[in-house]
Every structure is written in structure tokens, then in C-alpha cells.
Amino acid sequence: MNRYVLKFRKEGYIKYTSHLDLLRLFSRSFRMTDIELKHSEGFNPHPKMSFVQPLSLGYSSACELFEFETVEHFELDEILRRLNSVFPKGVFAELCYEYNEKNTLASLVDAAGYRVIIPFCGDSESADKLVKEYLSQEEINTVKVSKKNGKSKTVNIKPMIRDIKAEVRDGALVLDLLLDSGSYSNLSPELVITTFLESTRLDEKRYNIEVERTGIYFSSNFHF
């Protein structure tokens, strides 16, 4: 089995590319580099490729993972060289791994790290105080919409927040979040941002806030 995982960065304007368009971009890139992807069987065969925990539109990322299978075997450095030669600005493949385990990586995702940057005029002490006040709430309730049926319900997201660290840097409040992620429990950083702004009464527009994924963690105790 010629199965691989590609770790790549997504930066700049490419963060506004939709998930579907990003799939098309990768499919086209493989064709351009003569790396033939293996296809599924049946009446509607499709290339065996997928993103691990696709990001929301507008998020940059220092850690994107892409699983794929090829018809023939390739050296890892050769895959990186070929793909980086055709990727557009803002996409850069850093590492490639052979991955021949039974389970897909997506099924093993347990948590994800995010960096949230909010314009801020306070100091480190006040930043720490805001985070402590936010996390000291008995419950952090918000409305969550189900992707399966579109129904909304009020949920307490506090148990899904594993850690928040804060620092003030260059006129911004930098929050490093570690949140539940995966099929069992999944928390969008958007819900944390919304409830944090409401709780702390920070008057900042969402379009002024930047979000970057910094890591993906797995139930098998390894991470990217």
C-alpha cells in the first residue's frame, strides 16, 4: 500500500480558499506532477485523498494534514519536491510520511491547537486576569449548530476547552487554545472567540481577529 500523509502550511490569501476548491487544487497539483493517485472502485471512482480536520474559511494554518494513496511508490523527498514546484503561493509542503496503518488519521484526532490574535491595549497582567475570569465560570454556554441536521442547541463548551494560555505581544492579545477536536468531541474556536468576547466585554470586531491552527493531536499520543 502506497499511503502517505503530507504536512503543509496554509498562509496568506489562500486561507480564503474553500475546502472544495482546495481539494481541486491538490487534485490538479498531483496531475501536474505525474504522481498518479489511486482511485476507489465502483461506479463513481474518486481519488483516495482527504484532509484531516478541514479548516473553516479564513483560517491560516501551520499544521495541515493531507492523506493520499498513489498507484506506485515514491520517495518522500521526491513527493515534496514535485508538489512544492507546482503549489501556489501560500501553500508549502513541509514533511511527508508513509502511513500504512489500518485507521485513517482523521479517525484518531483527539485535539487541536489554535492561536487567536485579538487587538489589545492592555498588559500581560490584565490579559491573564481576563482568561482566568473566563475559565472560572461554572459553565460557558453558547448555541451550537449541528452539521448533520442544522438544528441548534445550547451547550456548555467549558469541558471541551483543555487549555488557554495568554500573552500580550505587539499590541495584541495572543491566546493559545487547546480544544477538543475529532468525531467524538469537537469544539470550534469560533465558539470560544464569541463567548470570550462576551464574557470579557472586549469590544472588538470579528474581522479584526486572526486565527491560525498550530497543531493536531491524536489519541495515540503523537501529534503534528
Side-chain angles (χ1 to χ4, degrees), residues 28-76:
R28 185 172 64 250
S29 296
F30 277 100
R31 290 197 302 270
M32 292 171 65
T33 55
D34 293 324
I35 299 177
E36 186 178 357
L37 293 173
K38 190 174 182 179
H39 282 65
S40 61
E41 299 177 356
F43 293 105
N44 185 28
H46 59 275
K48 291 191 173 183
M49 63 178 192
S50 62
F51 292 100
V52 179
Q53 291 298 103
L55 276 178
S56 298
L57 193 71
Y59 284 27
S60 59
S61 179
C63 183
E64 290 294 273
L65 300 178
F66 181 76
E67 293 184 74
F68 61 97
E69 291 186 37
T70 60
V71 173
E72 61 179 298
H73 184 269
F74 288 90
E75 295 297 324
L76 303 181

Side-chain angles (χ1 to χ4, degrees), residues 61-178:
S61 179
C63 183
E64 290 294 273
L65 300 178
F66 181 76
E67 293 184 74
F68 61 97
E69 291 186 37
T70 60
V71 173
E72 61 179 298
H73 184 269
F74 288 90
E75 295 297 324
L76 303 181
D77 288 344
E78 182 65 12
I79 293 174
L80 288 174
R81 186 190 66 80
R82 292 194 191 190
L83 289 175
N84 279 327
S85 71
V86 298
F87 276 157
K89 183 178 179 181
V91 177
F92 181 76
E94 294 185 320
L95 296 169
C96 189
Y97 308 84
E98 289 195 53
Y99 182 76
N100 295 316
E101 301 297 326
K102 181 179 180 180
N103 293 321
T104 64
L105 270 181
S107 68
L108 301 175
V109 174
D110 182 58
Y114 300 91
R115 177 160 292 163
V116 178
I117 302 176
I118 306 171
F120 187 66
C121 59
D123 56 18
S124 296
E125 185 177 347
S126 59
D128 288 337
K129 183 178 179 181
L130 290 177
V131 171
K132 287 179 181 178
E133 289 178 350
Y134 174 69
L135 293 177
S136 67
Q137 300 175 90
E138 188 172 336
E139 293 186 349
I140 302 176
N141 292 315
T142 188
V143 176
K144 193 174 184 181
V145 180
S146 171
K147 291 183 178 180
K148 293 183 178 180
N149 55 32
K151 294 183 178 180
S152 59
K153 64 177 181 178
T154 300
V155 294
N156 173 23
I157 65 171
K158 186 175 180 178
M160 293 181 276
I161 302 174
R162 301 192 179 191
D163 192 26
I164 300 180
K165 290 184 172 63
E167 67 172 307
V168 176
R169 187 192 310 159
D170 299 326
L173 173 58
V174 180
L175 300 177
D176 284 317
L177 315 178
L178 183 61

